[in-house]
């Protein structure tokens, strides 16, 4: 089901202007490689390192959004 959504949203990139399909493709590949590197074990508890890594990732994502908004305004 997720692959179907990915394909549909990728196709929207060709129909709508202002959408960078290379960025979406890079995000898809990066997410896939990260998931393969860290794996998914539902039964294992999250370690403090993983929780800190998740917090850092969230902060970097928020800062990226702030940077984009500031760049768009100025």
């Amino acid at each position: 089901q997720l692959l179907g959504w990915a394909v549909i949203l990728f196709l929207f990139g060709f129909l709508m202007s202002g959408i960078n399909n290379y960025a979406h493709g890079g995000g898809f590949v990066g997410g896939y490689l990260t998931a393969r590197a860290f794996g998914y074990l539902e039964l294992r508890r999250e370690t403090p390192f993983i929780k800190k890594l998740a917090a850092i990732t969230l902060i970097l994502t928020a800062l990226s959004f702030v940077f984009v908004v500031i760049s768009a305004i100025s």
Side-chain angles (χ1 to χ4, degrees):
Q1 184 177 5
L2 291 176
L3 182 59
W5 276 106
V7 170
I8 289 170
L9 293 175
F10 183 73
L11 292 175
F12 269 118
F14 290 111
L15 301 174
M16 300 175 71
S17 63
I19 296 177
N20 188 337
N21 276 331
Y22 289 112
H24 282 108
F28 181 78
V29 170
Y32 177 78
L33 293 176
T34 302
R36 295 292 293 173
F38 286 107
Y40 178 74
L41 298 174
E42 186 176 320
L43 301 176
R44 191 170 75 179
R45 293 185 60 87
E46 293 175 348
T47 64
F49 172 74
I50 296 297
K51 289 181 181 180
K52 288 177 186 175
L53 189 62
I56 290 169
T57 304
L58 286 171
I59 290 168
L60 289 174
T61 302
L63 288 174
S64 297
F65 281 122
V66 169
F67 178 73
V68 167
V69 169
I70 290 173
S71 296
I73 291 172
S74 55

